[in-house]
Amino acid sequence: MEPPGAAQDSHSPHIASEKMIGSLAEAFYADPTMVYLFPDHEKRMSRLKILISVVTKIIIQQRTMYADHTHQSVCLWQQPRVSWQSLFYQELLCATLLYRLAPAAKRIVQLHFVQQKNRPKYAHWYLFMVGTKPAVQGRGLATGLIQPVLQHCDQQGLPVYLECSKETISFYLRFGFRAFKEATIKNELTLYSMLRPPGQTKERI
């Protein structure tokens, strides 16, 4: 059964293929957050793939990872309500992540603290990550993955939250997101919190 909100030309995989992980790693290689976490550009790609492989295992438990049929564009979401079993599994994987990425562990924890501090305390969907392989960007692949889930959120009457860098704010504005807070980590990284109220799909048709 396809998860609610999945686009007709996308699917929700049960595992993250190497191609999906590679596409996200390429998409986020120059992203300010990843540059902050992994400043060594020679090791960044391999560490990015470790990070993404662990994150996708968490997201897959909720069946909220979507990809286009070529696996060159991928979107990761977190549902509003997560079972305690999923939370336990998430914590276990996070511990594994910190072990495998020990040199970046302190920065990962700092980033996580800021993210959790700024997230809304009420029920919401969280757009954790969306990325398209640079070679095929600009073709609407990411939009095709995001829009159907936003429609589902509207049907549920729930807002959507995300964090992004200044460079990608304009991309999310077109979906109805609005920046409402910014946070700077040690003068090295500035994150912008964005929120999309529910019920905007009809307004944008």
Side-chain angles (χ1 to χ4, degrees):
M1 179 179 179
E2 199 68 18
Q8 291 182 355
D9 59 349
S10 71
H11 65 294
S12 180
H14 295 291
I15 61 172
S17 68
E18 289 297 324
K19 189 172 183 180
M20 292 168 62
I21 293 172
S23 294
L24 281 175
E26 287 188 43
F28 279 88
Y29 181 81
D31 180 82
T33 299
M34 300 308 165
V35 173
Y36 166 76
L37 291 179
F38 313 117
D40 187 338
H41 67 90
E42 293 183 353
K43 298 179 179 180
R44 188 181 306 145
M45 183 60 73
S46 61
R47 290 176 175 174
L48 252 176
K49 289 182 178 180
I50 292 174
L51 172 67
I52 293 168
S53 67
V54 172
V55 168
T56 53
K57 288 178 181 177
I58 294 172
I59 299 299
I60 283 173
Q61 296 297 307
Q62 303 179 40
R63 292 200 67 199
T64 49
M65 177 174 71
Y66 301 105
D68 75 305
H69 69 281
T70 67
H71 287 189
Q72 296 183 93
S73 187
V74 186
C75 190
L76 309 179
W77 295 81
Q78 186 177 60
Q79 295 188 48
R81 300 169 185 83
V82 183
S83 68
W84 70 266
Q85 294 96 332
S86 295
L87 288 173
F88 176 77
Y89 183 68
Q90 179 175 319
E91 293 298 326
L92 185 62
L93 286 175
C94 286
T96 302
L97 176 66
L98 293 177
Y99 175 77
R100 295 180 65 185
L101 295 176
K106 185 176 180 179
R107 290 181 174 230
I108 291 174
V109 171
Q110 289 172 337
L111 175 63
H112 178 72
F113 175 79
V114 171
Q115 289 175 323
Q116 292 302 309
K117 181 180 178 181
N118 291 339
R119 280 185 68 171
K121 306 306 178 187
Y122 46 82
H124 64 279
W125 279 74
Y126 178 39
L127 178 49
F128 182 82
M129 178 181 283
V130 58
T132 302
K133 192 172 181 177
V136 295
Q137 288 179 358
R139 301 182 186 180
L141 296 177
T143 297
L145 298 177
I146 295 173
Q147 195 62 58
V149 183
L150 293 180
Q151 293 173 359
H152 178 65
C153 295
D154 286 344
Q155 292 170 1
Q156 290 186 324
L158 291 173
V160 182
Y161 172 79
L162 61 83
E163 304 105 0
C164 67
S165 61
K166 186 176 182 179
E167 292 79 0
T168 53
I169 287 178
S170 60
F171 174 76
Y172 294 112
L173 287 175
R174 73 182 71 168
F175 297 103
F177 287 92
R178 293 291 180 267
F180 70 93
K181 187 181 295 185
E182 67 177 81
T184 300
I185 304 176
K186 292 191 172 182
N187 295 318
E188 295 183 55
L189 173 69
T190 299
L191 286 178
Y192 294 84
S193 297
M194 302 191 75
L195 191 68
R196 179 187 183 275
Q200 297 191 55
T201 301
K202 291 182 179 180
E203 297 175 9
R204 293 179 170 271
I205 294 178

